Amino acid sequence: MDHRPEARAKNDTFCIPYYLEVAMRFARALTLATLTAFSASCQSKQEAQPAAPAPAAAPAPAPASDKIVIGHVGSMTGSEATFGTSTDNAIKLAIEEQNKKGGVKGKQLVLKTLDDGGKPEEAAVAATRLVTQDKVAVLLGEVASSRSLAMAPIADSNQVPMITPTSTNPRVTKDGPKTRPYVFRACFIDPFQGTVMAKFATEKKITKVAVFRDVGNDYSVGLADFFTKTFQELGGKIVVDESYKAGDQDFKSQLTSIKNKKPQGIYVPGYYTDVALIARQARELGIKVPLMGGDGWDSSKLYEIAKGALDGSYFSNHYTDEDPSPVVQDFVKRYKAAYGAVPDALAVLGYDAALVAFDAMERAKDLTGPSIRDAIEQTKGFQGVSGVITLDADHNPVKPAVVLGIEKNKPHYAATISP
Ligand code: PHE
């Protein structure tokens, strides 16, 4: 949940009639979308594929359109805006490259992106709209676990496959004990990510840790728990477990309680805007120990806001631009040429999620939801930029993680940890 006043002003529309809200949302989506996406939205109204699956025995239905619409739900605005924009940039790049190679099954791909402002309820509205109105073949998104959790039932009930690039909470692909048939991801999951930092801290001889979690964020709560479990199993002690809510501005009382317990490190598995503020306030209180976190730290804004307060800190992530492998370096070059910036993990995984979708659509017997779903489920040994993707029974790839250390207000590769 976003409690920031500016986010509230921008996003809270409960006092506005529903039709106006929809019109506003539509206008916002249009200004954000590319011209290509605009033509896609126009086209998809008359020509797109039916969402209903063909009976299994029937021959592949004749293509209803010469275009394939890909839907993306992302936080293009709000306090996690870099998550959505990096992902969207990378998906656009993937589509452009694929179209140059002839598209998928001879059809060109078009992108329709909807902004959820960083809110789970908006992510659900956006997913519903992409599925029912724009008739997308595949949904890409969301980045954040809380928002993917809101979208997942919509993908399942409409039989439209959804691939989240980066949502790491294990529950995203699960419906209670069973695997959600239409939901997949391109990244590792948090039981592993929590273990990565627990092992790393233990190797650094850090044995007393304070946990500081965002209680309104499924990702943060899950990762804090997974870290705690492994860290304790490895003999470490959690000296205090404090909480905050995304958008809080003053963290001093929790940080004072943390300081009093004299931890050797503080585990803060939150998103970049809050983490950077927490780091600054910790340093103001004279807390010098490293902060540790997860992939939610990954944003150029982290460093802009922290202004050096995170030097000496560490976080786990999906990729590093220092990886010398040609697949990575080649992608970094192409992304930089397109957007003038080094891609972050969101970009890398947004690109990989799109590629997994294209590969599956190419292999699928037709372009109905159930056929694309079957093909995604069969993804094996797919070479992405973030590593090789083979989906397990829970629709999760098993991939190594990297640990990045922050020095002089910049991230540097520190270690690779394999599952
Ligand atoms: N893993 C985070 C989540 O599940 C999202 C995230 C991934 C953020 C990668 C930044 C980088 O909520």
Side-chain angles (χ1 to χ4, degrees):
M1 253 209 289
D2 200 329
H3 299 275
R4 279 180 191 75
E6 74 274 19
R8 236 182 267 142
K10 206 177 282 170
N11 294 321
D12 269 5
T13 45
F14 51 81
C15 51
I16 297 169
Y18 182 69
Y19 67 91
L20 256 184
E21 187 190 337
V22 169
M24 281 162 56
R25 212 179 277 135
F26 187 62
R28 191 170 61 190
L30 275 188
T31 45
L32 285 165
T34 59
L35 266 181
T36 344
F38 176 70
S39 67
S41 79
C42 299
Q43 212 134 22
S44 65
K45 294 226 168 57
Q46 318 112 26
E47 302 177 303
Q49 289 282 119
S65 165
D66 57 345
K67 297 249 188 334
I68 300 171
V69 188
I70 305 291
H72 173 215
V73 179
S75 52
M76 307 299 289
T77 56
S79 57
E80 289 128 39
T82 69
F83 289 174
T85 43
S86 286
T87 309
D88 203 57
N89 284 345
I91 295 171
K92 277 182 195 144
L93 182 62
I95 288 184
E96 203 178 290
E97 291 176 358
Q98 189 72 29
N99 281 342
K100 276 196 196 132
K101 288 191 263 170
V104 168
K105 291 196 194 298
K107 294 162 180 260
Q108 293 286 290
L109 302 158
V110 283
L111 179 65
K112 180 75 194 272
T113 298
L114 292 184
D115 177 23
D116 60 31
K119 297 177 146 199
E121 54 291 7
E122 295 275 340
V125 171
T128 304
R129 216 193 110 200
L130 288 171
V131 164
T132 58
Q133 293 179 35
D134 300 299
K135 309 284 185 209
V136 298
V138 170
L139 277 170
L140 299 176
E142 232 271 6
V143 160
S145 291
S146 294
R147 299 190 291 266
S148 289
L149 283 164
M151 289 170 63
I154 295 160
D156 266 359
S157 61
N158 290 280
Q159 299 189 310
V160 173
M162 152 180 165
I163 308 178
T164 165
T166 47
S167 287
T168 45
N169 186 286
R171 286 192 292 114
V172 169
T173 60
K174 303 289 281 185
D175 181 9
K178 92 180 209 307
T179 302
R180 285 197 177 279
Y182 283 82
V183 183
F184 302 86
R185 76 180 107 214
C187 55
F188 53 65
I189 56 173
D190 286 335
F192 168 64
Q193 183 168 209
T195 297
V196 165
M197 199 45 80
K199 276 191 185 161
F200 186 81
T202 308
E203 274 162 27
K204 289 251 158 209
K205 309 266 180 274
I206 294 174
T207 56
K208 291 191 320 182
V209 167
V211 170
F212 197 15
R213 63 175 81 204
D214 173 357
V215 279
N217 177 334
D218 292 291
Y219 154 78
S220 187
V221 170
L223 192 48
D225 288 344
F226 295 122
F227 169 85
T228 298
K229 183 171 178 284
T230 312
F231 187 64
Q232 287 171 339
E233 281 165 9
L234 293 170
K237 196 167 177 255
I238 303 296
V239 293
V240 61
D241 193 327
E242 288 285 346
S243 57
Y244 68 92
K245 272 206 167 149
D248 286 352
Q249 299 296 315
D250 186 352
F251 304 92
K252 293 229 165 108
S253 80
Q254 299 98 310
L255 287 169
T256 302
S257 123
I258 288 172
K259 188 184 178 189
N260 290 339
K261 300 282 191 220
K262 302 194 172 39
Q264 296 160 311
I266 309 173
Y267 191 60
V268 197
Y271 292 153
Y272 63 89
T273 305
D274 304 311
V275 170
L277 282 178
I278 288 168
R280 274 168 53 184
Q281 292 180 21
R283 302 313 175 217
E284 277 162 34
L285 288 173
I287 299 174
K288 298 203 174 67
V289 299
L291 268 58
M292 300 177 288
D295 53 354
W297 285 25
D298 191 18
S299 171
S300 56
K301 292 269 180 224
L302 179 81
Y303 311 100
E304 266 176 47
I305 303 168
K307 298 189 169 62
L310 281 162
D311 283 6
S313 297
Y314 295 94
F315 67 105
S316 50
N317 207 357
H318 305 266
Y319 123 106
T320 165
D321 63 300
E322 291 170 62
D323 183 338
S325 100
V327 192
V328 172
Q329 288 311 317
D330 215 55
F331 177 73
V332 170
K333 212 186 281 165
R334 297 195 315 278
Y335 187 91
K336 264 191 184 164
Y339 299 108
V342 175
D344 53 21
L346 289 309
V348 166
L349 284 161
Y351 186 83
D352 279 0
L355 257 52
V356 166
F358 305 161
D359 171 69
M361 287 192 287
E362 198 64 79
R363 285 185 287 107
K365 77 173 180 350
D366 54 58
L367 289 172
T368 59
S371 298
I372 298 172
R373 185 219 85 88
D374 290 350
I376 298 175
E377 196 165 59
Q378 294 307 315
T379 301
K380 277 189 195 73
F382 183 82
Q383 179 65 62
V385 177
S386 64
V388 175
I389 298 176
T390 297
L391 294 175
D392 69 12
D394 284 333
H395 297 172
N396 303 321
V398 178
K399 291 193 291 188
V402 295
V403 176
L404 304 177
I406 301 173
E407 290 307 330
K408 300 211 170 89
N409 211 24
K410 280 200 192 93
H412 295 288
Y413 171 76
T416 299
I417 302 200
S418 293

